[in-house]
Amino acid sequence: MDLLDFSIFTTPEAWISLITLIFLEIVLGVDNLVFISITTNRLPADKQHIGRKLGLGGALVMRVIFLCFASYLVHLVDPLFTIDVGFYSHGFSVRDLVLLLGGLYLVYKGFAELRDMLALTEVKAEHSDEHKALHLITLPQAVGTIMVMDLVFSIDSVITAVGLAEHLIIMIIAVMLAVFLMMAFIDPISDFINSHPEMKILALTFIIAIGALLIIDAAGFHTGIELMHISLEKLMVYFAMIFSIVLEVIQMRYHSNLAKWKAELVSQQGGASAKAGEVGATASEEGAGAGKTKN
């Protein structure tokens, strides 16, 4: 692969490959964005922005290095050893082991964060130094965790990129553009997730579901059906997540409209009561004045 061969962009095939890879990187990067949002939420407020950017920047470096060893990536799917117990037989490759370890960590991370949410650890951290020490992590911890987990999230998309594009420059440009787009939207996405407990719970269940999906995939249980180079199992999880988010947004909008209507109703009732009080006071004054006139 010639990295500096820009003449390939004179062909329509190169542009089709580039657009396809950018689309895949963005779609397959959704779980990465959710993980980054959850992880950087444990940073002090003044370091969350830089933590997200450094995490994505480190992830970009890792992916580019990953792509530079594209010829080696083909061998990541070659079985290292096989487990055969009669009813189950599967050859585990480097890819499978990475997915297995990453999936186990995501399941653990999701359940641990859910447990902390139910224990109100984040809320208590705002009022207690003891809980703050348990909740917060350092910037190097956050960035390191994001970079390592990005390898897990990106291994399939990188292998797919190698299969789709013949030129390294196309793969690197696609990854860079996708990461730059993520950098542009990571802050509003993270703020939205972390400022709404319902969305954070959905995000954590999504992390657990993705972790379980990685474990199942690593164990060799998959349909083998793909749509736009995305596995059917992952598409089902994405669809369920999108459906849940849409329902949650509708419910949030309903509660917001209901709260506004109740506030307006209280304001109107308060205004009516005040007006009635003014009328009553005026009537009393007029009655008192009439009494004085008679006297």
Side-chain angles (χ1 to χ4, degrees), residues 10 52 66 74 97 100-101 142 147 152 160 167 211 241 243 257 259 282:
T10 58
R52 294 162 189 162
F66 213 10
V74 179
L97 295 177
L100 179 62
L101 293 175
M147 289 177 66
V152 177
T160 301
H167 302 279
M241 189 65 188
F243 183 76
N257 290 342
T282 302

Side-chain angles (χ1 to χ4, degrees), residues 21-90:
L21 284 178
I22 292 173
F23 173 76
L24 280 176
E25 289 291 334
I26 292 173
V27 172
L28 295 175
V30 171
D31 42 14
N32 200 13
L33 286 179
V34 173
F35 180 79
I36 291 173
S37 300
I38 298 298
T39 302
T40 54
N41 188 49
R42 284 185 170 270
L43 288 170
D46 60 331
K47 292 184 178 179
Q48 290 181 6
H49 171 77
I50 188 66
R52 294 162 189 162
K53 295 297 189 288
L54 286 177
L56 280 171
L60 172 60
V61 173
M62 297 290 283
R63 289 195 187 197
V64 171
I65 294 174
F66 213 10
L67 285 170
C68 289
F69 292 93
S71 59
Y72 173 73
L73 294 180
V74 179
H75 302 291
L76 289 181
V77 295
D78 294 339
L80 296 175
F81 60 90
T82 301
I83 295 179
D84 189 353
V85 290
F87 65 92
Y88 172 76
S89 178
H90 179 62

Side-chain angles (χ1 to χ4, degrees), residues 111-176:
F111 277 116
E113 291 286 343
L114 277 176
R115 182 194 61 202
D116 284 349
M117 276 204 71
L118 295 177
L120 304 179
T121 302
E122 185 177 351
V123 177
K124 293 176 182 177
E126 298 175 0
H127 305 88
S128 167
D129 291 337
E130 179 184 354
H131 287 91
K132 183 181 291 186
L134 293 174
H135 176 72
L136 296 179
I137 61 176
T138 64
L139 185 60
Q141 281 179 298
V143 175
T145 303
I146 291 169
M147 289 177 66
V148 171
M149 288 309 301
D150 184 74
L151 285 180
V152 177
F153 288 126
S154 65
I155 188 169
D156 269 346
S157 62
V158 169
I159 292 175
T160 301
V162 174
L164 278 177
E166 298 179 358
H167 302 279
L168 181 59
I169 186 63
I170 292 178
M171 293 183 270
I172 292 178
I173 290 175
V175 168
M176 290 178 65

